Amino acid sequence: MKRKLLISALVVPFLAFSQSNKDAAKINKTTTYSKVAVESESSIASTDKPADSTVKTPAVQPNSDKKRGVISYDFVKIGSTYYDLQTNASIGRRMMLLPDGTISAVWTTSNDAAYSNRGTGYNHYDGTNWLSVANPTVRIENLRLGWPSIGLNNGKEWVMAHDAAIGGFVKSSNQSIGSTSWTVGSSILSQNQRRPIWGRVVNSGNYFHCVASYSDSSQAGDPRAPRINGVLAPMTYSRSKDGGQTWDKEHILLPGYDTSKVNDGGGDNYAIDIRDSIVAIVTGGLAENVLMWKSTDNGDNFTMYIVDTFPFAPYKSNKLIPRTNCSDGSLDVLIDKKGNAHVFWGVTSVLEDDTATAGYNFFPATSQLGYWNEYRKTSEVIAGGLQFDRDGTDSLEFSPGCWNALDANGQVPAALKNTNVFSVARLGNTSLLHAPSASLDDNGNIFVSFSMPLEQDFDDNNVNRRDIYMVHSIDTGKTWSAPQDVTQWQGSEEEFACLSKQSNGFVHMIFQRDDNAGTNLQNNSTADNNHPTGVNDIMYAAIPVSKILNNEIGLLQSVSVNDLNAAKEVFVVSQNYPNPFNSNTEVMIWLNANSNITVEITDINGKVVSTQSFGEMNAGNHILNLDSNGLSAGIYFYTVSTGAYSVTRKMSIN
């Protein structure tokens, strides 16, 4: 029988708690930590994954199930991949809601178990169908690339991904939105004897902005990561003003980024967002401050902010450190319509009470989401602790496999096997709650997804699988909702969620799912093959904003995903096309079940000016034709309703 370890969230000495999450402050400690060595060279391997350290902890036992909420939206498989590591920490920009209401998504893919055909997986929703489901593992490039970012420029979609073998990046463009014909460019932002990779790229028109770090390898003939201004493998910034053809700034350090604040960079320990000419970049990791740089002139000048203070930064060997909170390196940043930044990060803590040896301890068995915005400039915790207690025991009960890593020999620690835990599932050096991804809708509502293990959902190796959760704020970050489990897929793991930065009545999300906790690339033991190479699904969901804001998705668990879609609800209502229009326009809908459909049109004052009944329609896709008979030019709202559920969009008549 497995023994039980009770993990509770830590008291946060340097973070204030949000007023909506005061319960998280009542719990106080965890006893599990991992030793991090401070090395003279980078610990980031050239295999696109950071090196891990070991933890010794006992195992846990699941408790009885309880019911969860009802998911009233579909999950759509849009791709597959054998390559199952989408990030080491922060997720990046993999999802895009386009101005016409269509959707594009990218991910790192491979159609072979040896990963020789690794590249960018791509799919596009044109308002009716996803285009590439029939062949979802095909890469868009003819090179072995990874870690893609996606954007739009001059009516064409672009993807920029790294070349881990030689360093640098490759920018590809298609012929038009949704086109599967891609032109693959030549290598850009490469450097002699260095390997810049793990890029995060955004653009506003022809201005492209990239942050990246450096791979490091000790193999003969391979380049080591550089030290720049004393910082090992630093985060660098690059800019192009001509659509990525040339770069007037290449791999520079942002002002204030030096050894007075950081020791070294890290693969994926940063994020970037853009709105018009405003650029925001954040970074932070173990034993470091969370830092943000903001530019209001498209990268000509940056101002640095200390978002969350680690009072012992930068860490120096043999420095005594009481247990102190910091970022786990997984972050996101969002710029709102007023041009102010919102920063999110997974919270962990570090400790050094043995100064006779180099290095420090960090606590991966933590579960908190940190937050800061430019309005208040105060860091706080907005989710965590007992909010994830599903079985009502006033403690979090997870297998230690959730936060352990392989040992120095690449094997599952023997101490875990002795407690019948046969795998590990930690993502790099992140905590239990990690990889936030943020989105904003037209009403200023903020939505943040993140990954978190699920009590009572164990894989065959006795490790908890993960679900995707979401919190939201309707008042520009003053208060935050309780977390809602937006996947609830019992019997499988959902990880690496990415939201489109813009929401439009739906929060658009992609994620990766498979049956086992963790990844083959970071967590598979060669001796046991406990997480073998296999096909992972890339899934998409359009989550109704109304359901999120009404807290209707639910926090509990147990039923199969096949039982979740019973409600007679509209899954997708596309933006009407054409828009504006002067005669007729069409709206595409998806029904989960047979439903009676009506469309009500109101003017900007809320007066109903037209109602049309379409009768009962079968489950599936339908096109609704709306006309402008009797309506003058102006702005109107149309509401598609099943009676129990409705979705509203804005349209223009000219």
Side-chain angles (χ1 to χ4, degrees), residues 92-125:
R93 185 166 294 202
R94 308 281 175 86
M95 185 81 179
M96 181 170 57
L97 174 67
L98 292 144
D100 62 356
T102 61
I103 300 158
S104 292
V106 293
W107 60 95
T108 303
T109 193
S110 178
N111 62 3
D112 68 313
Y115 314 138
S116 57
N117 293 322
R118 197 186 78 174
T120 299
Y122 166 82
N123 209 334
H124 176 76
Y125 180 75

Side-chain angles (χ1 to χ4, degrees), residues 81 160 167 192 205 270 315 328 394 405 410 423 440 494 534 554 596 618 630:
T81 175
M160 195 160 150
N192 291 332
Y270 36 79
Y315 173 80
D328 71 350
D394 292 328
S423 186
L440 182 76
E494 297 86 62
N596 288 303
N618 296 329

